[in-house]
């Protein structure tokens, strides 16, 4: 650990003396380093599409000015790069909102079946385009939790989008509600919301770092799929705010299952 020592002489009616303060600065330094890394990462992520946009604008103004075919092609790439920047800014805002509300207890009564079905419908076009079927599976009747409906929808959306994007070869993504085996952890009653795919899976070495901001198993594939590297970081913050737990299990060649365990209201 690192310490900062400060000394002060005091002269009071009770007598004279020295006050020595010893402050452990390890946590402060760690927080400061994380903040710096985050800013560096954001700058890098924004600079890549921005550099591409600037390059194409120059080319369109110069050499490609009268080349209609090239213009169409370049405009398409520019739209894609601008879209990437837009998604990044949107995810950064989400992350900052979720972090800002971290200490405020959510108060809505949210029914999880309805939420699963609505996410299934909302993502049907994406799934269809990828040749994947989203299945909803639950043996439980209505399940209510105390939460923030928009944020819980975002959890389920981010997990299901990942399962579709990365689990493509698996053809099937399953959303399920079940009773938790890990009930003791919650010191009360809870429910498990899980998203499972039969995709390529994630090597074990990556699992502990998946929820870090900008951590990607395969950067190229993530970018190609329109990923920002912030999806699981947002999920983790929302789950923490709901006093839940998140468990990621994956077997290479078999698939990935992400379980969110929430306390019941
Ligand atoms: P991204 O925006 O890149 O998808 P996420 O934070 O959502 O970022 O996910 C982090 C990384 O975890 C992804 O880049 C991907 O490599 C990996 N990943 C997430 N979900 C899955 C999944 N269902 N199957 C395989 N890999 C996954």
């Amino acid at each position: 650990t690192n310490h900062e020592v400060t000394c002060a002489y005091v002269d009071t009616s009770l007598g004279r003396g020295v006050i020595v303060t010893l402050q452990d600065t390890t946590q402060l330094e760690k927080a400061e380093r994380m903040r710096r890394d985050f800013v560096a990462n954001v700058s890098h992520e924004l600079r890549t599409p921005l550099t591409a946009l600037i390059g194409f604008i120059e080319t369109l103004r110069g050499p490609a000015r009268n080349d209609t075919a090239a213009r169409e092609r370049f405009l398409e790439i520019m739209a894609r790069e601008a879209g990437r920047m837009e998604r990044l800014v949107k995810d950064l805002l989400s992350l900052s909102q979720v972090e800002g509300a971290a200490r405020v207890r959510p108060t809505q009564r949210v029914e999880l079946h309805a939420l699963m079905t609505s996410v299934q419908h909302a993502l049907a076009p994406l799934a269809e385009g990828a040749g994947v079927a989203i299945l909803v599976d639950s043996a439980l009747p209505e399940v209510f939790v105390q939460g923030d409906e928009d944020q819980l929808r975002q959890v389920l959306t981010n997990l299901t989008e990942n399962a579709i994007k990365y689990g493509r070869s698996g053809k099937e993504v399953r959303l399920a509600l079940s009773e938790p085996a890990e009930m003791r952890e919650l010191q009360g009653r809870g429910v498990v919301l899980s998203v499972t795919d039969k995709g390529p899976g994630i090597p074990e070495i990556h699992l502990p770092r998946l929820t870090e901001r900008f951590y990607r198993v395969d950067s190229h594939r993530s970018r190609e799929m329109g990923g920002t590297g912030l999806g699981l970081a947002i999920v983790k913050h929302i789950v923490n705010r709901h006093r839940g737990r998140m468990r990621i299990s994956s077997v290479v060649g078999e698939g990935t299952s992400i379980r969110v365990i929430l306390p019941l209201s």
Side-chain angles (χ1 to χ4, degrees), residues 72-86:
E72 282 309 309
R73 210 170 60 244
F74 292 164
L75 282 173
E76 205 171 294
I77 303 173
M78 288 168 76
R80 201 174 62 216
E81 295 299 320
R84 183 203 296 263
M85 289 176 80
E86 189 187 26

Side-chain angles (χ1 to χ4, degrees), residues 162-163 165-166 197 202 210 215-217 222 227-229 231-232 256:
N162 277 353
K165 281 189 312 195
Y166 301 110
D197 64 63
I202 306 164
L210 282 188
Y215 190 85
R216 294 158 164 127
V217 175
S222 159
T228 61
L232 290 180
T256 302

